[in-house]
Amino acid sequence: MPKSKVRKKTDYTINPASRTPVRVKSAGPSPVWYVAIMLGFMLAGLAWLLVYYLANEHIGWMSDLGAWNFLIGFGLMVVGLIMTMRWR
């Protein structure tokens, strides 16, 4: 009985012309003011919520805001957290 022929598969090679190197811009560390503003937003949100819980009855305009105080406090903290994604 004759032996069957084995087909040779060609190896897949990446065409070097299709891969062009891209230079990545390496940025240095974040400036000090960026970190200060980032932490300031987080602490301002925390302070807003603490003042709302502790002195709500004594501050008229804050008690008028009602549940919007949660949005303001957590919103400030979320802005600070979003800024951490750009922090180097």
Side-chain angles (χ1 to χ4, degrees), residues 8-88:
K8 241 187 181 181
K9 290 184 181 179
T10 58
D11 292 334
Y12 177 74
T13 58
I14 298 174
N15 186 1
S18 67
R19 295 187 66 208
T20 56
V22 177
R23 174 169 244 145
V24 177
K25 179 183 170 187
S26 62
S30 296
V32 176
W33 60 266
Y34 187 84
V35 177
I37 291 173
M38 175 183 67
L39 292 175
F41 271 119
M42 288 190 264
L43 290 175
L46 179 66
W48 187 281
L49 291 175
L50 285 175
V51 169
Y52 172 66
Y53 274 117
L54 297 177
N56 185 15
E57 304 88 29
H58 304 294
I59 303 172
W61 59 271
M62 191 173 257
S63 62
D64 292 340
L65 288 174
W68 285 99
N69 286 303
F70 294 113
L71 180 69
I72 294 169
F74 285 118
L76 289 170
M77 287 191 280
V78 166
V79 168
L81 287 174
I82 290 172
M83 288 179 72
T84 60
M85 289 189 269
R86 302 276 307 188
W87 179 35
R88 294 182 258 22

